[in-house]
Amino acid sequence: MHLIVKASKNNAKTDDQLLRGAKEGDRAAFSELVKRYEDMVYKFSFKVCRNKDEAEEALQDTFVNVYKNLSSFDGRSKLSTWLYRIVINNCLMKKRRRKLDDLMESYDEPPAGENSKHNARIPRWDETPADLLLNKEFHELLEEAILKLPVDYRIVFVLRDIEGRSTEEAAKILGISHEAAKSRLRRARAFLRDQLAPYMNVQEEAVE
Amino acid sequence: MNCKKVYLHICESLDEDLNSPRCREIRNHLDDCPNCRAYLDSIKKTITLYRMEPAPHVPASVHNRLIKTIDLSWKKGTRGKVTPKQ
C-alpha cells in the first residue's frame, strides 16, 4: 500500500524532482523515471540496432548505466539528451563501426541535374499507401536499406527524422558540430532514398 | 542557386524556417526545376516511410527483467561500481 501511494505521488513529479529523489536514495523515484523513459529508450535502441534482443540489452545496459552514474548528471542538459547519449554509447559498443565515410561522401553529388554527369530525368515517386508497410517484402526492403547505412549516419537519421529531434540536439547528443550532423543527415537521407528508388512506382508526368 | 547547391541544402529546407533567405532561394529554384522537385519529394516520402514503420513497445517480460536488474543493483548499492550483467 505504502509503495502504491508513493508511486502515485511520483507520477506527478517532474524529471528533476525524481532525479533528485533517486540521487538521495529513493528507489520509487528511480522506478518512476524508468517507467517514464523505458519505452523511448527501447524504441530508439530498436530503431538503431534493428534487433529486439540487442534493443533489450541496450535498454538494460542504459538504465544500469544511468543508475551507476546518477551523481554525475548535473541537469545542465535535458534528461532525454543524456539518455540518448548513453543508449548510443551502448549501441556503438556493440556495433563494429565501419569506416564508410568515402562511400557516404559520394552522396554529396546530385543524382542528376545541370551540374551532374548524368542528365537523366529524376522520376517522381508515386504516392505511397500506408498499407505498403504491411507488405512483408517492402518491410524487408526498408530493413535491408537502413541496415546498410553506417551506424553513425543511422543514428542521426533516427534522431532527426524518426524521433523528431532537431539537428542541433542530435549534434549535442553525438558531441559533433551542427554542420557535421546536417551533413550526416543529408547523406543518410540520400542513401536511403537511393536504396528505395528502384522499388518505388513512378508517376507518369506530363512533359513541362 | 543551381541544382548542385540546391541538392546540398535541399534537406535543410525540411528543417529550416521556410522564410529564411536560403529556403526562399531553394523554393524559387524548385518552382522551375522538375528534377529537384522530384528529388525533394522522394526524400520526403523516404522519411515518411521510415517514420510510419511501427516500433515495438517494451514487452512485459523485458520490463520485469529490467526492474529486477535495477532492484538488484539498488540492493547491492552498486552506484559508482561495475554492475554484473543479468
Side-chain angles (χ1 to χ4, degrees), chain A residues 88-181:
Chain A
I88 288 167
N89 283 340
N90 281 323
C91 286
L92 288 182
M93 271 196 291
K94 289 181 180 67
K95 302 263 164 219
R96 234 181 54 228
R97 292 165 89 163
R98 294 174 296 163
K99 283 275 169 215
L100 288 175
D101 281 347
D102 289 350
L103 165 75
M104 295 310 287
E105 270 171 26
S106 67
Y107 287 91
D108 290 342
E109 286 300 317
E114 64 190 52
N115 289 347
S116 164
K117 287 173 230 154
H118 320 285
N119 262 326
R121 184 78 176 264
I122 298 178
R124 276 186 73 84
W125 289 8
D126 208 348
E127 289 308 315
T128 41
D131 58 9
L132 197 57
L133 284 169
L134 299 175
N135 178 314
K136 196 169 165 258
E137 273 173 43
F138 191 76
H139 182 75
E140 281 169 9
L141 170 68
L142 289 178
E143 193 63 23
E144 216 174 280
I146 202 164
L147 277 171
K148 279 188 202 157
L149 186 64
V151 71
D152 301 273
Y153 292 83
R154 199 186 308 157
I155 288 168
V156 179
F157 178 75
V158 173
L159 279 172
R160 173 65 193 89
D161 286 338
I162 300 179
E163 301 280 298
R165 304 282 151 173
S166 65
T167 39
E168 212 165 345
E169 193 183 347
K172 258 188 214 156
I173 291 168
L174 288 161
I176 57 177
S177 70
H178 191 198
E179 282 310 309

